[in-house]
């Protein structure tokens, strides 16, 4: 399964009636953290980035988090 890119994630959120900012606020995350995670700046292997990836349903690299 390939990882969706940032535009695909934003498009999926828009289809659910959310912007990136509204999704961030609704799920208790900072907008900047969510933005950096979906753009790949924050890798999402640990901490907040990982929580965001899990909440968005994005694949995780389980070997790195072990």
């Amino acid at each position: 399964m390939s990882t969706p890119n940032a535009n695909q994630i934003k498009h999926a959120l828009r289809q659910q009636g959310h912007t990136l900012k509204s999704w961030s606020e609704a799920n208790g995350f900072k907008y900047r953290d969510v933005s950096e995670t979906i753009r790949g700046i924050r890798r999402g292997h640990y901490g907040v980035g990982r929580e965001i990836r899990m909440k968005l349903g994005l694949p995780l690299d389980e070997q790195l988090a072990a």
Side-chain angles (χ1 to χ4, degrees):
M1 180 170 121
S2 67
T3 303
N5 67 34
N7 285 333
Q8 292 169 325
I9 295 167
K10 288 190 268 186
H11 180 73
L13 289 175
R14 280 193 299 271
Q15 288 182 324
Q16 296 170 17
H18 283 287
T19 62
L20 200 56
K21 184 169 181 142
S22 72
W23 186 90
S24 302
E25 291 171 352
N27 288 282
F29 298 112
K30 294 178 184 174
Y31 167 78
R32 184 176 187 132
D33 291 340
V34 175
S35 178
E36 288 177 353
T37 300
I38 69 164
R39 289 185 294 137
I41 295 169
R42 184 181 294 251
R43 304 293 275 175
H45 298 305
Y46 306 97
V48 173
R50 181 178 175 83
E51 290 178 37
I52 292 167
R53 288 185 69 81
M54 288 177 18
K55 197 81 148 173
L56 285 169
L58 300 175
L60 302 171
D61 188 344
E62 295 297 332
Q63 293 175 346
L64 290 174

